[in-house]
Amino acid sequence: SRDQHFLPLNPENEELFAALGDGVILAKLINDSVPSTIDERVLVKNQNMNMFQKQQNLKLVINSSKGIGCKITNIRPEDIIEGKPHLILGMVWQIVKIGLIADINLQSHPELVRLLQPGEEMADLLKLTPEELLIRWVNYHLHQGGSERRIANFSGDIKDSVVYTILLHQISHGLCDKDALDIVDTTARAEAVLVNSEKLDCRKFVTARDIVKGNPKLNMAFVANLFNNHPALEQLDERELAEYADMLDFDEGGTREERAFRFWLQG
């Protein structure tokens, strides 16, 4: 296809910004995050587009990204054509993140009720953001694995790869070993985590350096991808499903606050 000559992109230089300048790859990225958002038949896909055609594509891309939930107020087609890094990277990250967290909720994964803590009600879980649910999911598996470690972020708390080693062991039901815990060098330990993640087909988003540096965005993406592919939470049985049925049947359009309010009414 016409975008193949841009791919794969070299992460070590600036070619990403030129490659996104006509909107086609951005449109495909949006559809990868939220399928069928853009009808690609309406995109101009000529090899040598004029300025008007690029702007036409990019207006559609910007409106569609807002439509899937990206908070972008100050980006214009011209900014993308000119390759303004901070605006483009901010937009790309939001599109990727929306796709990663789309299913991290109780409607898609009713078994997330396993993360309820003593004294909590469903309304408490519904108040949590996808990131907070992910942190709680990691801590649940650390507890299940007999570890005292807990995390409160995707930066400093995961840098030494101990949490990742235990998490991978737990969600893989032992397929991933814990040998990395015996490695002293943190970069080598992080690399061992990534080798283990390959066994689950989840070596994505981070390098060993990103783990050791504690890059919060990339590590959140790594964990979200692990959850999406290997949640490793016991499914609800029929009795539990019946118990939670009304509560889990909420309208997707509702905000977290609205859903929490409905739970409160039903509670």
Side-chain angles (χ1 to χ4, degrees):
S1 71
R2 66 141 290 297
D3 43 275
Q4 285 311 111
H5 70 286
F6 283 126
L7 301 171
L9 293 164
N10 181 353
E12 301 302 325
N13 63 24
E14 307 281 290
E15 71 183 42
L16 166 74
F17 306 112
L20 301 185
D22 63 14
V24 177
I25 291 178
L26 276 171
K28 288 180 180 294
L29 184 65
I30 288 170
N31 280 346
D32 184 64
S33 274
V34 183
S36 305
T37 300
I38 293 177
D39 182 346
E40 291 191 26
R41 292 172 299 183
V42 304
L43 289 171
V44 182
K45 292 185 179 178
N46 305 342
Q47 200 74 284
N48 297 304
M49 287 186 221
N50 61 39
M51 186 62 75
F52 174 75
Q53 290 169 323
K54 289 179 181 179
Q55 288 178 326
Q56 191 181 328
N57 280 353
L58 288 166
K59 277 178 188 164
L60 177 62
V61 160
I62 290 168
N63 288 334
S64 299
S65 60
K66 288 176 182 172
I68 64 169
C70 293
K71 292 178 171 55
I72 45 173
T73 48
N74 58 346
I75 191 164
R76 304 162 304 144
E78 296 75 25
D79 297 321
I80 301 174
I81 292 166
E82 290 165 22
K84 293 186 176 171
H86 65 290
L87 292 175
I88 293 172
L89 290 174
M91 182 179 179
V92 167
W93 164 243
Q94 285 195 61
I95 294 168
V96 170
K97 182 181 174 186
I98 281 164
L100 281 169
I101 67 175
D103 289 331
I104 304 173
N105 57 63
L106 279 139
Q107 195 171 32
S108 300
H109 287 281
E111 68 274 20
L112 280 166
V113 300
R114 304 279 176 231
L115 306 185
L116 276 170
Q117 292 171 353
E120 281 188 332
E121 296 177 359
M122 283 284 276
D124 298 308
L125 267 191
L126 276 170
K127 289 174 193 160
L128 300 180
T129 64
E131 291 95 324
E132 289 167 337
L133 279 172
L134 277 180
I135 285 172
R136 192 175 279 214
W137 174 73
V138 172
N139 288 336
Y140 171 87
H141 282 300
L142 291 172
H143 174 71
Q144 295 294 107
S147 171
E148 297 292 311
R149 282 286 292 265
R150 299 291 182 269
I151 68 165
N153 56 58
F154 295 111
S155 48
D157 290 354
I158 51 82
K159 289 169 111 154
D160 65 5
S161 293
V162 171
V163 164
Y164 280 162
T165 302
I166 298 165
L167 176 65
L168 286 169
H169 180 73
Q170 286 301 117
I171 66 173
S172 69
H173 307 293
L175 173 67
C176 297
D177 57 51
K178 293 198 280 187
D179 296 354
L181 298 178
D182 299 325
I183 300 172
V184 177
D185 179 72
T186 51
T187 305
R189 192 186 302 150
E191 186 55 45
V193 162
L194 293 176
V195 170
N196 257 338
S197 71
E198 276 181 55
K199 298 175 188 172
L200 299 177
D201 201 22
C202 286
R203 184 167 185 158
K204 272 186 171 182
F205 300 110
V206 288
T207 62
R209 188 162 169 264
D210 297 322
I211 294 175
V212 173
K213 280 176 65 183
N215 181 309
K217 286 188 172 76
L218 295 178
N219 280 287
M220 194 280 283
F222 179 65
V223 174
N225 188 51
L226 287 173
F227 173 84
N228 287 330
N229 289 286
H230 304 278
L233 295 169
E234 190 188 339
Q235 296 292 320
L236 272 60
D237 61 31
E238 284 185 29
R239 183 191 59 77
E240 290 171 313
L241 276 172
E243 185 185 336
Y244 295 123
D246 291 344
M247 297 187 178
L248 292 172
D249 188 27
F250 43 67
D251 175 7
E252 225 170 303
T255 63
R256 272 202 321 281
E257 289 77 16
E258 286 165 351
R259 296 201 299 267
F261 180 65
R262 277 202 287 279
F263 269 108
W264 177 76
L265 287 175
Q266 291 164 351

